[in-house]
Amino acid sequence: MSKVVNFSIDGKDCMAERGQYILEAAKANSIYIPTLCNLPGVKPRGSCRICNVKVNGKLMTACTTPVAEGMKVENDTDELTDLRKAIIELLFVEGNHYCPFCEKSGNCELQALGYRFKMMVPRYPYQFPDRNIESSSSNLIKDHNRCILCKRCIRAIKNEDGQSIFAFKRRGHKVVINVDTKLSGNMNDELAQKAMDICPVGALLRKEQGFTIPIGKRTYDQKPIGYEFDASKSATF
Ligand code: SF4
Ligand code: FES
């Protein structure tokens, strides 16, 4: 069986390696699909749905759906743009995202997507939930106001014994990310920094660290999210 799969995105002929997810294959063909919960190198979970595309007319998450021969993927359409924008708006109203005083401002993927999708006033009412900020761990602050439950921290942050430092607590709409205070107590600065870096928003912050990179000089202050895909490039096969 051929290792290469031929498929299309928005009518553009694309090639992918067999077994690649649509998201990876789109990237290899220089096509941008927005993501929030996906983390390259970590098994995708399809939590946020921002990467929704239409595959043969049906909504699918691009990060968890493998490409198949002859597949027709819709990505850059008005309908999908509005759906993705609606998800971004929902995330903003569901939590308390106060960008002007967030240490992650300019490095926050949700904020950057808000700009990319030209979010102004959300179509949904703000919930202003009553959530706390946890600082029991020695080198991390967990701000539940900003957590979007993407599970990146659960999947990617493990101690030397392979134990997850983060886990879900409670169920349904009350679910929160729990930090194991015992395990996080042994977290070195490098792992704490990794946790802060992989969190797409400002829900995990290093303690006693801030503004080492000034506002205005951060990742998305310099270039909008996905800018590298905006200029067309050829596939790398
Ligand atoms: S703390 Fe950050 S990485 Fe973990 S689930 Fe919440 S938003 Fe995602
Ligand atoms: S990036 Fe695919 S569902 Fe979140």
Side-chain angles (χ1 to χ4, degrees):
M1 194 186 284
S2 168
K3 284 189 175 164
V4 174
V5 173
N6 295 286
F7 71 110
S8 70
I9 301 182
D10 297 328
K12 178 188 168 186
D13 290 334
C14 297
M15 286 185 288
E17 287 171 30
R18 190 169 295 282
Q20 259 186 329
Y21 294 116
I22 295 171
L23 184 67
E24 300 169 315
K27 192 174 175 188
N29 286 273
S30 305
I31 293 171
Y32 177 64
I33 298 178
T35 61
L36 270 173
C37 68
N38 190 65
L39 194 60
V42 177
K43 194 165 187 271
R45 297 305 290 263
S47 317
C48 74
R49 324 298 294 186
I50 198 89
C51 70
N52 260 329
V53 290
K54 275 196 168 175
V55 176
N56 301 335
K58 197 173 158 206
L59 280 176
M60 308 287 277
T61 45
C63 65
T64 58
T65 309
V67 281
E69 186 65 34
M71 187 182 252
K72 291 189 191 340
V73 179
E74 287 171 63
N75 172 47
D76 190 8
T77 66
D78 289 348
E79 183 193 358
L80 287 167
T81 299
D82 191 56
L83 178 66
R84 291 163 179 169
K85 191 174 176 184
I87 292 171
I88 295 163
E89 291 174 10
L90 274 171
L91 289 170
F92 266 99
V93 302
E94 183 276 338
N96 297 310
H97 297 275
Y98 300 117
C99 301
F101 58 85
C102 180
E103 165 57 16
K104 205 72 184 276
S105 182
N107 285 331
C108 171
E109 293 174 43
L110 180 64
Q111 181 194 49
L113 284 172
Y115 282 121
R116 184 172 178 111
F117 283 81
K118 301 185 173 59
M119 189 189 99
M120 300 298 280
V121 179
R123 68 196 83 176
Y124 309 106
Y126 281 101
Q127 302 298 302
F128 300 118
D130 186 10
R131 294 189 187 151
N132 66 352
I133 299 174
E134 243 177 278
S135 59
S136 47
S137 129
S138 59
N139 49 10
L140 264 189
I141 293 168
K142 171 77 179 73
D143 188 344
H144 292 278
N145 293 286
R146 296 188 167 113
C147 179
I148 59 168
L149 302 174
C150 70
K151 305 183 197 159
R152 280 189 185 182
C153 54
I154 298 178
R155 290 178 286 145
I157 305 299
K158 317 229 167 176
N159 69 6
E160 288 160 357
D161 300 325
Q163 294 166 296
S164 288
I165 289 166
F166 300 90
F168 272 148
K169 185 167 92 178
R170 304 198 205 115
R171 284 169 177 266
H173 72 282
K174 290 189 175 164
V175 75
V176 290
I177 296 287
N178 191 35
V179 188
D180 186 312
T181 41
K182 203 166 148 209
L183 295 180
S184 68
N186 300 327
M187 213 180 195
N188 59 30
D189 285 348
E190 199 184 328
L191 197 57
Q193 185 64 48
K194 184 179 172 192
M196 178 171 166
D197 291 343
I198 59 114
C199 180
V201 289
L204 295 176
L205 300 175
R206 292 274 309 278
K207 261 187 185 171
E208 298 172 11
Q209 301 277 330
F211 295 94
T212 45
I213 302 174
I215 298 282
K217 296 205 178 301
R218 299 174 176 196
T219 308
Y220 305 119
D221 295 334
Q222 309 289 317
K223 302 253 170 55
I225 197 164
Y227 83 96
E228 64 273 38
F229 296 92
D230 293 336
S232 61
K233 295 176 198 159
S234 53
T236 51
F237 292 98

